[in-house]
Structure formats: C-alpha cells, structure tokens
Amino acid sequence: MRRRGLLSALAGGLLATPAGARTGGPRRVGVLMMNETLFDAALLRKAMAERGLVEGVAFIVDFRSADGDTNRLDALARELVAAKVDAIVAWQTPPAVAARRATSGVPIVMSAGDPVGNGLVASLARPGGNVTGIDASTAELGGKRLELLRELLPAARRIGVMTNPPDPFAVPFVRQIEAAAPRIGLAVEVVGVDDAGALDGLVRSMVERRIDAAIVQPSLPVKRIAELALAHRLPAMSDNRVFAHSGGLLAYGSNLAERYRLVATYLDRIFKGANPADLPVMRPTQFDLLVNLRTAKALGIEVPSAFLQRADEVIE
C-alpha cells in the first residue's frame, strides 16, 4: 500500500541548502487548522527535529484551530499575520484559502487539495506567490476508495459522499468519485453537511435511504462522523487515521509522516531564505490503508485475510 521514495524534484531542489542562509532567534510558525484532532503536532515537531530544527531554539509554534467552523478561519488567519509569524502552516484546503486571503507576504506552507484549481498557486512546478507545500490530491484517490468499499462490501450499490460545502475542495472531491463510480458499478449520492449540529439525523437518514456505505470528506468533523456511523451501523471511510481510530470502518489516504516531513523541509528552506514562489508544490508518494476490525465485526462484515494483509494498520 506504500509508494516509496520522494520525487526527484524534492531530492534535487528542496533538500539542497541555499547560499546565504539566514540566522537569528527562533522563528515563529503559525499553524492554522480546521480541528485539533486532525493535526498531529508531535509529528510536526519530530519532522522538524529530523531537519535539525529544535522547538524553542530554532522555532516556536502558535496554533490556531477553527474547531470545525470554516467561518472562523479568516479571523484566525489575520490573528497569525498580526502576531508577525515568519511562516504559516495551513493544514487542509479551507485554512490554506483563508491564509492566502489574509496575506500575500508571509510564506504559507499548505497541505491542501487541488491548489491550482483553488487559486492557491499558479502551477505545481512554479507556485509564483507566497504559497507552496503539498498537493494532498485526496480527490484523485476517489476511485481507489470506491474500489476498496466494493471489495469489502460486494453487495453495495449506493455510496453516500459526505461533503463540506464551504470547502472549495468539495467540488473536485466529488467529481473524481463520480467519475470512477460507473466503472466500478456503484451509484453515488452527494450529501452536503451544512449543519454540523445535525450530523446524527443526517447519518440516520442515510441509513434509512438504504445508502450502503459512505465516504467522508476530510475537512468535516470526521471523529464525530465515525462515531455516528458506527452507532447507526453505516460502513464508512475517510482519509485520516483519526477516522478509523474513532470507529470508522476504513481510512485510506496519504501517509501523515511523509506529509509532515515535507512541511518541515519547506519550513527549513524558507527559514534559510528560500522564496516560496520558487519551491515546487509536491505530492505525497506513500499511502496508508487502515482497517478497524472491531467495527467490521460490529457491523457483521467479514474482512478477507488478503485484505487485512494489505492493510498498513489493523485496529483490533
């Protein structure tokens, strides 16, 4: 399930140390996120330490979480700019868009979906502004997620796709799934989550409408949705390991450790004087499959041994 090795552009460009490295006190890094449960600060610190950047010595971190409310992101991004951070790490697409609206000068290292389509960068090879980072490419994994659900649930016919309408990534996220569905023999029903407070009723209604399984957009409150999906006996998957560890049946997405290593590499280069406009946007090369076997048993789903052997993590 893993694709080894980084792209040659990373090895040849991002890892090179530019001349005239900057010196000084700890750099202030602002982290803008949708929800604290979806950002792993320990993985960021570990990746920074691997680059020789020790917290408190080389950098300090200022966290801002929207607690799942997209409407709060613009104000939080402006707070970070006012705090005179040296760089902003924007985790997921809505925070990246908000950070870009808040500043055209502070370097932004994103982990976001479809950054060209969302206007965050001019191109992956030449970002051209103050934003660079990772194209998480979650939408392009839509077909793979459908294949995994079909393999585990051969009788499934209707798949609900739970989207976050305020997230610009919702459109390409759905588009890629819908494009793959006919090939796999599945029908897709898009379910927009307009009110996080109504999640219980929404998941219940999906079961009542005989939707066989759900794919959940990662910028939604995935922990709560995973818990509700288990409670209502709805097989569901998303891209983040938090989802599987919270009771979701499956998680399939880019390897988090690799993404944080890439973020640390970008920050290291920016601290040394690199211009984000000149740092190509990268895509993950490693992907993880998580299976919650406890949830499968609770839902009466028999997971083939071959499926389990392909998993990077089995939750028992």
Side-chain angles (χ1 to χ4, degrees), residues 50-288:
E50 290 172 353
R51 302 289 304 170
L53 301 170
V54 179
E55 187 176 15
V57 178
F59 72 99
I60 56 177
V61 186
D62 194 352
F63 294 99
R64 292 291 189 280
S65 170
D67 296 325
D69 184 357
T70 307
N71 295 324
R72 297 183 55 203
L73 288 169
D74 283 335
L76 294 173
R78 291 193 296 269
E79 283 183 18
L80 289 175
V81 174
K84 300 188 183 304
V85 295
D86 295 291
I88 296 174
V89 173
W91 199 257
Q92 297 185 314
T93 307
V97 172
R100 181 65 184 85
R101 281 197 293 257
T103 178
S104 59
V106 178
I108 298 168
V109 178
M110 63 173 177
S111 178
D114 192 24
V116 176
N118 290 323
L120 291 167
V121 297
S123 71
L124 299 185
R126 301 183 65 84
N130 65 318
V131 182
T132 188
I134 306 162
D135 176 3
S137 302
T138 308
E140 297 179 2
L141 302 176
K144 180 63 175 179
R145 293 197 177 100
L146 287 177
E147 290 171 359
L148 290 168
L149 284 174
R150 166 46 63 82
E151 185 176 353
L152 202 55
L153 304 167
R157 293 294 178 268
R158 299 178 66 210
I159 305 298
V161 180
M162 300 182 70
T163 68
N164 185 11
D167 183 347
F169 187 52
V171 174
F173 181 77
V174 171
R175 184 188 303 129
Q176 292 289 339
I177 294 173
E178 288 181 332
R183 170 177 57 83
I184 302 170
L186 292 168
V188 170
E189 180 175 330
V190 179
V191 181
V193 180
D194 297 308
D195 181 4
L199 278 172
D200 185 76
L202 186 62
V203 174
R204 185 187 304 112
S205 71
M206 293 172 68
V207 174
E208 291 171 350
R209 297 199 308 276
R210 299 187 181 280
I211 288 177
D212 297 303
I215 297 175
V216 182
Q217 188 175 348
S219 61
L220 288 169
V222 293
K223 184 176 186 296
R224 179 60 178 155
I225 293 174
E227 295 167 347
L228 289 171
L230 177 58
H232 291 291
R233 301 184 59 80
L234 176 68
M237 71 182 306
S238 190
D239 84 321
N240 195 292
R241 63 178 52 248
V242 171
F243 186 80
H245 280 278
S246 300
L249 177 62
L250 298 173
Y252 181 73
S254 54
N255 177 270
L256 284 179
E258 183 191 26
R259 285 166 66 183
Y260 284 103
R261 284 195 297 268
L262 287 172
V263 168
T265 299
Y266 282 112
L267 289 174
D268 188 21
R269 287 297 311 275
I270 288 167
F271 292 167
K272 291 172 179 174
N275 187 337
D278 301 326
L279 300 178
V281 174
M282 306 305 295
R283 282 180 166 171
T285 62
Q286 301 176 26
F287 299 88
D288 292 338

